[in-house]
Amino acid sequence: MCFGKCARCIGCKLFILALLSIAANILLYFPNGETRFASEHHLSKYVECLHGILGGGLLVLIPAAVFIGLHNDDCCGCFGHKNCGKSCAMLSSVLAACVGILGSGYCIIISALGLSQGPYCFTRVERNWIYPFTESSGGYLLDYDEWAKCQEPQNIVQWNVTLFSILLVLGGIEFILCSIQVVNGILGGVCRLCCGSDEMLDICQTAHVRSNYRYSNDEPFASCRRTAAQESISTRGVFLSGH
C-alpha cells in the first residue's frame, strides 16, 4: 500500500527540516558570527530555550527516523501474521508523530514569543542591556525606524527577526507534516488489519475448497477399495465352506 511510502516521504522532509531548525538555532547564538555575546550572556532568553535544537530538531528527528523505516517490507509480523506486524508498525508511528507534534509546537511557541518580545541589546538611550521592544507587543516588527534603538550587537534586530521567523515557519511545517502522519498512520494501521483479515478469510476458504475437491476425487477410489475388500471376504468364505 501507499501508506508506507507516504510515511517515508514525510520522514525525509522532516529530517531536512529538523537539520535546518538546528542550524537556525545555532546561528541565533552568534549574532553577525561573533561569539562574545553568547559567552557574556548578552542574548535573548528565548534563544537559550533551545527550541530549534531540541524542539524542532531532536524531537523531530526521532519520528523522522521512524517514518523512514516504515517503508521497509521486511516486517516479521506478530503471531506469524505479517500484516499484523505492519499494522502495529503503522499505529506505533502515530506515537512518534505525537512526539514530533510536541517538539514542533514548542518550536512555534518559543519562536512567536521571541518575535513578540524582541532582541536583548545595548541601547543608546538607556546605555544598558535591555529588551527595548517588550511593551510594543510585536509592533516593532513593522516600525523599522525603531530598530535603530539597538546599538549592539549590530543589526541584531534583523538577525533575530529573520532567524526566529525561519524557525516559526519550519516549526509550522513540521507540525503539519506530523499531523498528516497521525492520520496516515491510523488509516494505514486499520486498513492493514482489515486487509489481513480478508486475506486470512480467503486462505481459509481456499483450503476448504481444496479439501472438498480432494475428498470428492478420492471418493471413487475409496468405493473401489471397499468393493474389492468385500469380494475378497466372500471368496474366502466360499473356499472355507468347500473344505
Side-chain angles (χ1 to χ4, degrees):
M1 292 186 178
C2 63
F3 298 107
K5 293 181 179 179
C6 179
R8 185 177 186 277
C9 181
I10 292 175
C12 292
K13 290 179 173 59
L14 287 176
F15 185 81
I16 296 173
L17 292 172
L19 294 181
L20 292 175
S21 181
I22 293 174
N25 199 161
I26 292 175
L27 289 175
L28 279 173
Y29 272 90
F30 308 108
N32 301 317
E34 300 182 32
T35 60
R36 61 187 180 92
F37 301 107
S39 60
E40 296 173 358
H41 301 287
H42 289 156
L43 297 173
S44 171
K45 61 182 179 181
Y46 293 112
V47 175
E48 299 177 351
C49 289
L50 302 177
H51 58 294
I53 296 176
L54 293 179
L58 296 180
L59 290 181
V60 174
L61 285 175
I62 295 173
V66 174
F67 300 160
I68 293 173
L70 288 177
H71 182 62
N72 297 328
D73 294 329
D74 56 350
C75 181
C76 59
C78 55
F79 300 103
H81 303 297
K82 190 174 182 179
N83 278 323
C84 176
K86 291 183 178 181
S87 176
C88 293
M90 289 298 297
L91 292 176
S92 66
S93 71
V94 176
L95 298 177
C98 291
V99 174
I101 289 175
L102 290 176
S104 59
Y106 175 68
C107 183
I108 292 172
I109 293 173
I110 299 300
S111 298
L113 292 174
L115 285 173
S116 177
Q117 188 176 52
Y120 183 68
C121 61
F122 186 83
T123 62
R124 296 177 179 178
V125 178
E126 299 292 336
R127 305 298 297 176
N128 195 10
W129 292 87
I130 61 172
Y131 292 95
F133 308 115
T134 302
E135 298 179 357
S136 67
S137 300
Y140 76 96
L141 294 171
L142 300 177
D143 191 357
Y144 304 118
D145 295 333
E146 292 292 320
W147 293 8
K149 288 183 177 180
C150 288
Q151 184 177 3
E152 194 177 7
Q154 294 182 357
N155 301 319
I156 185 59
V157 180
Q158 294 91 324
W159 189 269
N160 272 26
V161 169
T162 300
L163 292 175
F164 272 118
S165 299
I166 291 174
L167 286 169
L168 183 63
V169 173
L170 292 175
I173 298 175
E174 291 171 346
F175 188 90
I176 294 173
L177 290 176
C178 289
S179 300
I180 293 175
Q181 179 54 31
V182 170
V183 178
N184 180 60
I186 294 174
L187 292 177
V190 173
C191 289
R192 285 186 184 275
L193 281 176
C194 295
C195 292
S197 300
D198 293 339
E199 289 179 2
M200 290 299 298
L201 180 60
D202 292 339
I203 292 172
C204 292
Q205 291 176 347
T206 302
H208 181 68
V209 171
R210 288 181 177 177
S211 63
N212 290 337
Y213 177 76
R214 186 177 302 170
Y215 176 77
S216 62
N217 288 341
D218 290 343
E219 184 62 28
F221 298 100
S223 61
C224 292
R225 286 194 294 268
R226 287 195 297 269
T227 302
Q230 291 174 357
E231 291 179 355
S232 177
I233 293 173
S234 61
T235 303
R236 290 180 181 177
V238 172
F239 177 78
L240 292 174
S241 63
H243 285 74

